[in-house]
Amino acid sequence: MNIVLFGPPGAGKGTQAKELAKHYNIPHISTGDILRANVREGTTLGMKAKEYMDKGELVPDEVLIGIIRDRLQMPDCNNGYILDGYPRTLPQAEALETILEEIGKLLDVVLNIEVPDAELIGRLSGRRMCSCGESYHLMFNHPLKEGTCDACGGKLYQRDDDREEVVRQRLEVYAAKTKPLIDYYDKKGLLVNIDGTGAVEDVFRQICNVLDSYRK
Ligand code: AMP
């Protein structure tokens, strides 16, 4: 399955993508995770990206297109992939189409996870992360021991861009630059809307029902 997980920041793309990757045994490719790894490692790319990420802005298209072109050609993508956080602009979507045509891995479906704006701010500002990849929420999914990851015992932290003022900017950027892609993929007949407001397991089941109908 070749999948794009689409939706605003806080819709649950990362959480769902992680479960889907395990369930269907295909890689979860999160451009946000790739950029954050570069920031942590202090690479040139990471230092450039951080300036945009801290402000809630998008990192320039050419940077992301290069990352995705390289990543999709790795052998673990041979049986499919889940893109999370890419594409976010029309030029990124057009570049993706060209890349996928070149490498023969066209998209099967774009899953658009829908969550009302009012809910997104609370979801993002209460989110806490661990460097092992687990994420928690102060209200909906708190760790057993405050500030500590259940999975690895690591110290939880808040992403710089999950602070409320940056969250608002990210949502504005989403509305202006990313949301128009819903129409783009709808016109191509690739879009399926998913109600992202329920429990994580319910959203996961909805998505699996859609994907299983594509595999038949
Ligand atoms: P995410 O983890 O997907 O919420 O991404 C975190 C931040 O990384 C975004 O707010 C952007 O600054 C940057 N980013 C991630 N993916 C992209 C993308 N496809 N295009 C531009 N910037 C991106």
Side-chain angles (χ1 to χ4, degrees):
M1 295 291 301
N2 301 335
I3 304 163
V4 164
L5 267 193
F6 195 84
K13 300 186 296 296
T15 304
Q16 295 297 333
K18 226 182 319 150
E19 293 306 313
L20 292 167
K22 277 189 246 161
H23 190 76
Y24 292 102
N25 197 24
I26 48 179
H28 166 204
I29 302 174
S30 155
T31 45
D33 285 352
I34 294 172
L35 292 172
R36 279 184 291 278
N38 275 275
V39 171
R40 272 198 304 277
E41 288 157 20
T43 66
T44 313
L45 189 156
M47 285 189 293
K48 184 173 174 200
K50 189 174 184 330
E51 289 171 32
Y52 297 91
M53 294 167 81
D54 284 351
K55 287 189 282 198
E57 300 288 347
L58 294 183
V59 175
D61 285 337
E62 63 274 14
V63 175
L64 271 299
I65 292 168
I67 290 175
I68 281 295
R69 174 176 284 116
D70 292 346
R71 183 64 187 87
L72 285 170
Q73 294 188 59
M74 291 186 184
D76 63 342
C77 295
N78 284 346
N79 294 326
Y81 52 81
I82 305 168
L83 289 181
D84 157 16
Y86 184 101
R88 267 174 148 105
T89 64
L90 187 59
Q92 289 184 20
E94 288 169 347
L96 179 65
E97 204 170 328
T98 308
I99 294 165
L100 295 178
E101 269 166 20
E102 280 167 13
I103 62 178
K105 292 176 185 157
L106 290 183
L107 279 177
D108 293 307
V109 63
V110 175
L111 299 165
N112 176 34
I113 307 184
E114 298 181 296
V115 174
D117 274 5
E119 206 177 312
L120 295 171
I121 295 179
R123 283 189 181 201
L124 289 165
S125 46
R127 181 161 72 173
R128 295 294 180 271
M129 314 295 295
C130 179
S131 57
C132 76
E134 288 297 316
S135 71
Y136 298 86
H137 193 280
L138 294 182
M139 274 161 69
F140 314 123
N141 170 33
H142 47 80
L144 296 172
K145 186 171 166 224
E146 200 187 319
T148 305
C149 177
D150 295 346
C152 77
K155 191 167 177 291
L156 302 184
Y157 65 94
Q158 183 176 37
R159 266 172 55 173
D160 287 340
D161 60 352
D162 279 348
R163 283 174 293 119
E164 191 167 332
E165 63 281 14
V166 186
V167 163
R168 289 186 189 279
Q169 173 63 16
R170 287 165 66 199
L171 292 176
E172 272 176 34
V173 169
Y174 172 79
K177 298 196 173 152
T178 309
K179 207 171 176 188
L181 295 182
I182 293 178
D183 206 35
Y184 174 87
Y185 282 121
D186 196 21
K187 287 198 176 117
K188 291 185 181 292
L190 288 171
L191 194 81
V192 175
N193 291 320
I194 301 287
D195 175 2
T197 57
V200 170
E201 306 77 53
D202 295 338
V203 177
F204 181 69
R205 226 168 291 127
Q206 265 187 74
I207 295 178
C208 290
N209 286 341
V210 171
L211 295 180
D212 292 344
S213 73
Y214 275 76
R215 293 207 300 176
K216 277 174 196 149

